[in-house]
Amino acid sequence: MTTRSGTPTDLIDTLLGIEPGSPLARLRARRPEATHHTQGSYDALFASAVPATTVTTTERFAAALRVARLHGDQPLAEHYAGQLLGADGVTKELVTAVEDVRPLRPATEPAAPEPLSGQGRLRAILAHADLLVLRPAAATPADLDALAEAGLGAAEIITVSQLIAYVSFQVRLLAGLALIRGDERSAPGPVRGPLEAPQTGFTQEQLGWTPWLEPVAAGDVTDEQRAVLPGQRLQSPYFRLLALDPEVLGERTATDNGIFYTRGGLPRQERELAATVTSRVNGCVFCASVHSRFASQLSKRDGDVQRILDEGVDTPLDDRWRAITDIATALTTTPPTAGHAHVAALRELDLDDLDILDAVQAAAFFAWANRLMLSLGDPEPPTQP
């Protein structure tokens, strides 16, 4: 069974060669919501029959290819290169230009290769991909202005941002699953990110958040948008902003729930620990505040959590939290540097493969969440204690 774009029903299984009934297939089946909606997110971004915005097929696959190449993920890049080459009017020269990821250069220099100089809109999207992959905490309102000046509307900016962040999640999920299976993997290239992540300002206090784009007003949401804004999410400017592309938001929320709100496996407080560590490394003050608070409340280890925020991920911890912190940190770098030693350290502490899958998916998901939060708005102190 394939999607409309010719992509297999489960792209992760296909890229890793996961056979039905194999240990890794059975493991993924123990987290059916996360597995199903990871693919559902792909379908919403790349294979939907009626896209929520007018971001073209070429732009979508070009951005995804750029993200995969920036991470040095060869199989994922080959997939997106093939999908891009199959889009209407795309030439091999365009694919080559998108793949031309050169050594890091100052932010003032063009981020996209020169062969794209005549394609201002696509060039702006690729430049945004470079920013969100390598320097997500350096994003400013001016970066969204650059997309708007290239012709993207607010809903299109949300779609592009979701896409870049989603592929960043895919990269880390693929790496983590391969390590759980024990695959021999080539050594990652030099660490290129995250750059310019702040090292101060982290807190467990409840923060506000101000969007850089205008979210849909609570009173103006459509029925489709209301369906993906349950409960208090309707009052959140962040989620009302993401609801500009409701199909993708719905799948993303279901993926999130399937990773963090399931029975068995890694205790919830340690999934929140992985989210906190990822947010600390990426420099997402807002995400770190939310998930450090959860980790503290559930574990009753406020002091340990606060030291991670204050001192960084290398602060002294007990063996179990050290091992979880280390694999989350190594998955967060660009490219991911997690290796077999990280998985072995968890197994030596009697964590089983479901525990390790939960840690991997929690860290990988916050590669997605942080990139959205960092590039679409600013955290702000609460108006009241």
Side-chain angles (χ1 to χ4, degrees), residues 166-181:
Y166 170 75
V167 179
S168 299
F169 159 75
Q170 269 188 315
V171 166
R172 290 160 176 86
L173 179 57
L174 286 163
L177 288 170
L179 290 173
I180 291 172
R181 189 169 60 182

Side-chain angles (χ1 to χ4, degrees), residues 52 67 70 83 97 101 103 109 115 122 128 131 176 196 213 219 249 279 283 296 314 320 339 355 359:
V67 174
L70 285 165
Q83 295 294 306
V101 182
E109 293 184 17
L122 179 56
H128 204 62
L131 173 70
E196 302 178 45
L213 295 172
L249 174 57
S279 301
S296 284
D314 293 328
R320 183 178 173 106
D355 297 324

Side-chain angles (χ1 to χ4, degrees), residues 54-56 58-64 66-67 70 111-112 116 119-133 143 146-148 150-152 156-157 159-161 163-164:
T54 57
V55 181
T56 68
T58 296
E59 291 166 343
R60 291 174 191 240
F61 284 122
R66 185 75 170 183
V67 174
L70 285 165
L116 296 168
Q119 303 193 42
R121 181 174 158 116
L122 179 56
R123 187 183 180 97
I125 291 171
L126 297 181
H128 204 62
D130 290 1
L131 173 70
L132 267 59
V133 170
D143 297 301
L147 291 172
L152 281 78
E156 293 176 293
I157 291 172
T159 298
V160 166
S161 301
L163 189 155
I164 294 165

Side-chain angles (χ1 to χ4, degrees), residues 12 28 34-35 37-39 41-42 67 71 76 162-176 255-256 259 331 336 360-369 371:
I12 299 295
R28 294 195 77 207
T35 297
H37 292 290
T38 291
Q39 179 62 34
S41 298
Y42 177 96
V67 174
H71 283 95
L76 190 61
Q162 285 273 31
L163 189 155
I164 294 165
Y166 170 75
V167 179
S168 299
F169 159 75
Q170 269 188 315
V171 166
R172 290 160 176 86
L173 179 57
L174 286 163
T255 306
D256 181 359
I259 291 171
L331 284 170
V360 164
Q361 293 198 137
F365 184 80
F366 270 79
W368 186 351
R371 282 171 170 81

Side-chain angles (χ1 to χ4, degrees), residues 71 168 171-172 175 185 188-189 191 329-338:
H71 283 95
S168 299
V171 166
R172 290 160 176 86
R185 292 176 59 82
V191 173
T329 299
L331 284 170
T332 303
T333 60
T334 299
T337 55

Side-chain angles (χ1 to χ4, degrees), residues 260-315:
F260 284 92
Y261 300 95
T262 49
R263 294 180 180 273
L266 195 70
R268 167 78 186 284
Q269 59 263 30
E270 292 176 337
R271 302 184 209 191
E272 297 293 350
L273 170 65
T276 301
V277 169
T278 301
S279 301
R280 180 64 172 83
V281 174
N282 279 327
C284 187
V285 171
F286 185 92
C287 291
S289 74
V290 173
H291 295 279
S292 64
R293 197 160 57 250
F294 287 151
S296 284
Q297 291 168 354
L298 295 168
S299 70
K300 312 302 181 186
R301 295 176 60 173
D302 180 86
D304 288 331
V305 174
Q306 191 61 45
R307 280 201 309 277
I308 292 171
L309 297 181
D310 292 343
E311 301 172 15
V313 295
D314 293 328
T315 194

Side-chain angles (χ1 to χ4, degrees), residues 210-290:
T210 301
W212 296 335
L213 295 172
E214 188 66 31
V216 61
D220 295 336
V221 295
T222 65
D223 289 343
E224 185 182 11
Q225 290 169 331
R226 187 177 297 277
V228 296
L229 293 169
Q232 291 301 308
R233 290 199 170 190
L234 183 60
Q235 307 308 317
S236 165
Y238 174 66
F239 287 107
R240 283 188 282 112
L241 185 57
L242 296 185
L244 291 174
D245 190 337
E247 183 181 6
V248 175
L249 174 57
E251 291 294 336
R252 179 191 178 277
T253 298
T255 306
D256 181 359
N257 291 340
I259 291 171
F260 284 92
Y261 300 95
T262 49
R263 294 180 180 273
L266 195 70
R268 167 78 186 284
Q269 59 263 30
E270 292 176 337
R271 302 184 209 191
E272 297 293 350
L273 170 65
T276 301
V277 169
T278 301
S279 301
R280 180 64 172 83
V281 174
N282 279 327
C284 187
V285 171
F286 185 92
C287 291
S289 74
V290 173

